[in-house]
Amino acid sequence: MAARSTPHLVEAAEIAAEHGLTPARISALYLEREASGFPEIVGRRGRARQWDKNDVDKWFAGRKPPRLQQHKPPRLDPGELLTGAQASRFLGYKNPQQVNTYLRDHPGYFPDPDVVEELGTADRPYRRPKWRVQTLLDWKDTRPGSGKRSVQRAAPALPDVPVDGDPDELLGASQAAALLGFKSLNSFSSSLGQGNLPLLKTVDAVSEKGGRRRWTRRRILEQAAQRKAK
């Protein structure tokens, strides 16, 4: 008898990103599993639930198309710029902060803004990202869960990040994920969002474009050591 292959484990953030939902919605489907039929978890990583990807894929294959797949954005000039709230409504999300949440909590999933307006005052500056309508349409047509991909695209490989580099160098989320030993950026984002990486809760800087989070290599390695000791 052939040995059963090791299951591909996925967390809520990975499932959500692939199917155009939010991690909170995946958790809700799981908690409502007696009614929804959502698969049982097969493991945990810290506090994060893990599912067998095959079980999840089968469940979504038998599910009726979600509301977002049926949403038709209004006709707008492809070059028109939309704020995060406007972009959320344009794409059919009920939550006006959905696009900003994607940008903050799931680096790499949503496109970088086309324009970032520098607003406020010298004492209290703030940035307002904006996206062109065409950028949003392109993403909608190719996002995971859109039903328009014939071949599933593998998650982007994490970069090769040296451990012995400058301890004060600022690194982004994908570099942090690599140093911490995560298999994907989504796994890192999920763990960070669930409070499993307390040393990274506070960022050391944000990028000028898009407000991406940055941490020093020193802080990331301290978190890696703490994570390994558990």
Side-chain angles (χ1 to χ4, degrees), residues 71-123:
H71 172 72
K72 293 183 179 180
R75 290 182 177 272
L76 297 175
D77 184 330
E80 183 175 347
L81 289 166
L82 303 181
T83 64
Q86 292 170 330
S88 298
R89 290 192 291 269
F90 177 79
L91 293 169
Y93 292 108
K94 293 181 179 179
N95 179 5
Q97 294 303 316
Q98 187 60 61
V99 164
N100 290 327
T101 298
Y102 279 150
L103 198 66
R104 183 188 69 237
D105 295 341
H106 304 287
Y109 175 62
F110 200 75
D112 285 337
D114 294 298
V115 172
V116 178
E117 295 180 342
E118 301 290 342
L119 303 171
T121 64
D123 294 332

Side-chain angles (χ1 to χ4, degrees), residues 10-17 22-24 26-27 48-51 190 194:
V10 289
E11 298 175 9
E14 296 170 280
I15 300 170
T22 64
I26 299 302
S27 296
R49 302 183 184 100
Q50 294 181 314
W51 288 265
S190 175
Q194 294 180 51

